[in-house]
Amino acid sequence: MTIVGKAGSAASKPNVDEARKRSRFSVLFEIFIVSLKLGLISFGGPIAHLGYFRSEYVNRRRWMDDRSYADLVALCQFLPGPASSQVGIGIGTLRAGWLGGVAAWLGFTGPSVLALVWFAVLLQGTDAAQSGWIHGLKLVAVAIVAQAVIGMGQKLAAGRVRASIAFGAFAVVLLVESAYAQIALLLAAGLFGYWRLRHETEGDPAQLKLTISKRTGALFLVLFAALFTLLPIGRHFFAHPLLAMFEVFYRAGSLVFGSGHVVLPLLEREVVPAGWVGDADFLAGYGAVQAVPGPMFTFASYLGMTAYGVVGAVVATAAIFLPAFLLVWGALPFWNELRGKPRLQGVIAGVNAAVVGILGAALYDPIWTSAVTHRTDAAFAVVMFGLLQFWRMPPWAVVVLGIGCGALGIIGS
């Protein structure tokens, strides 16, 4: 009896471990499938994405309550990076640890990445600057960015102080053509907000139930800061194009606040002058990303594919999203304590106002200057803006309209 008991006990342990592994795999698979469904239908930008997320994760599946969801959204709005992707990563992480975060990101981001890589392949061998349908896409970009500037300005640059920050940022970006000048501008706006805007912010923060320890979170934040600091040094000493690409996209993913549209000026000032992507190809890809579901940061996948093929797409995609993972995993353990600090809210208010000005400058150069070459272009761009802003036509439909009119020769190239 003793022998049988020991044998039975020994045999039962692997079965328990195997059952746990199967259970964990099933949870991860469920997260991936649910996120994949969202990745296939989530048109309309980050605000729309958050609505889809709430409907699926809070109302339907009840993976978290409204209060916890609102607090997670607040954290991801505070952090730089793609807010909707970060919310998805956070939900996956809270449900199944860091692997859950990865599974949620793969499902939500995968369809957009594959679509834009395919578009880059389709574009190879064509003269983007002379194609009518590409010209239509460039005019779509004018309308969409104009709508983003107005929408963000109403929300993030309201009032005299914030509007002054936005207009100042607009002027600086136009006069100083440097990606590093934009970094300095964001830091200055944050410091000004710390001083001037701290009394204009208020909040009643909810408490988010966390499982990540502060020690683990601190390690992720240290890794984020170390990469941000060391990658430019490594790029200087090791002149490899893929390392340079990783550094550029990692920096972009670390600095974008407010909207995925803001990644446009940061990347344009890096990839076009370096010769990785032509100006026409850059704007064509930016127009195409409006027609696919999922996060706008997958624009990096298109740029990487255009520059260096599949390897470039993998490098660019991993680099631009890596800060999102590190910041979410690093900030979660500290957010409950920090969120209600007025000075910290003032910093982010100043930065958000500055990004409105940065995006406004990008609307003029390179978007308007490259796409609008005569009166017909200007008229068509204004009409498409009206369809977006007042008729509430979805962006993908405007993209289709722009491509069609360009292909048919209704608008010139």
Side-chain angles (χ1 to χ4, degrees), residues 84-214:
S84 57
S85 295
Q86 288 171 316
V87 170
I89 292 169
I91 292 173
T93 300
L94 292 173
R95 185 157 181 83
W98 69 272
L99 283 177
V102 174
W105 175 79
L106 286 173
F108 181 63
T109 309
S112 179
V113 169
L114 294 176
L116 290 171
V117 166
W118 174 82
F119 180 74
V121 173
L122 182 68
L123 206 60
Q124 289 178 358
T126 66
D127 186 355
Q130 300 301 321
S131 300
W133 66 279
I134 294 296
H135 188 67
L137 273 178
K138 292 163 68 175
L139 293 177
V140 167
V142 174
I144 288 176
V145 176
Q147 184 192 36
V149 170
I150 291 175
M152 291 175 63
Q154 291 172 340
K155 181 179 180 181
L156 302 176
R160 184 170 57 185
V161 175
R162 288 183 175 88
S164 298
I165 295 173
F167 282 115
F170 178 90
V172 169
V173 171
L174 286 183
L175 295 174
V176 183
E177 296 186 0
S178 169
Y180 292 100
Q182 294 183 30
I183 298 174
L185 182 62
L186 291 173
L187 291 174
L191 290 173
F192 185 80
Y194 178 86
W195 168 66
R196 183 62 178 82
L197 297 174
R198 65 184 185 274
H199 299 304
E200 298 184 21
T201 57
E202 57 181 339
D204 182 21
Q207 295 295 304
L208 191 64
K209 295 180 180 179
L210 306 174
T211 57
I212 302 174
S213 69
K214 290 185 178 180

Side-chain angles (χ1 to χ4, degrees), residues 236-288:
H236 177 75
F237 287 102
F238 303 98
H240 193 284
L242 291 179
L243 177 60
M245 175 174 282
F246 192 94
E247 188 274 327
V248 165
F249 283 91
Y250 183 88
R251 174 157 40 89
S254 303
L255 293 174
V256 172
F257 286 87
S259 167
H261 292 282
V262 186
V263 79
L264 174 72
L266 288 174
L267 291 179
E268 190 273 338
R269 294 179 187 276
E270 294 282 356
V271 303
V272 174
W276 295 343
V277 177
D279 185 69
D281 288 330
F282 183 90
L283 289 179
Y286 185 77

Side-chain angles (χ1 to χ4, degrees), residues 267-331:
L267 291 179
E268 190 273 338
R269 294 179 187 276
E270 294 282 356
V271 303
V272 174
W276 295 343
V277 177
D279 185 69
D281 288 330
F282 183 90
L283 289 179
Y286 185 77
V289 77
Q290 315 299 326
V292 298
M296 190 172 296
F297 269 46
T298 53
F299 183 37
S301 307
Y302 164 84
L303 295 175
M305 184 69 190
T306 302
Y308 293 111
V310 174
V311 174
V314 172
V315 169
T317 305
I320 203 167
F321 281 102
L322 180 57
F325 282 97
L326 298 178
L327 288 169
V328 169
W329 291 341

Side-chain angles (χ1 to χ4, degrees), residues 58-78:
V58 178
N59 294 342
R60 182 180 178 191
R61 298 186 178 272
R62 302 191 183 279
W63 286 1
M64 60 197 320
D65 57 31
D66 254 321
R67 191 172 179 84
S68 296
Y69 180 73
D71 200 62
L72 180 60
V73 170
L75 169 60
C76 296
Q77 295 285 1
F78 171 81

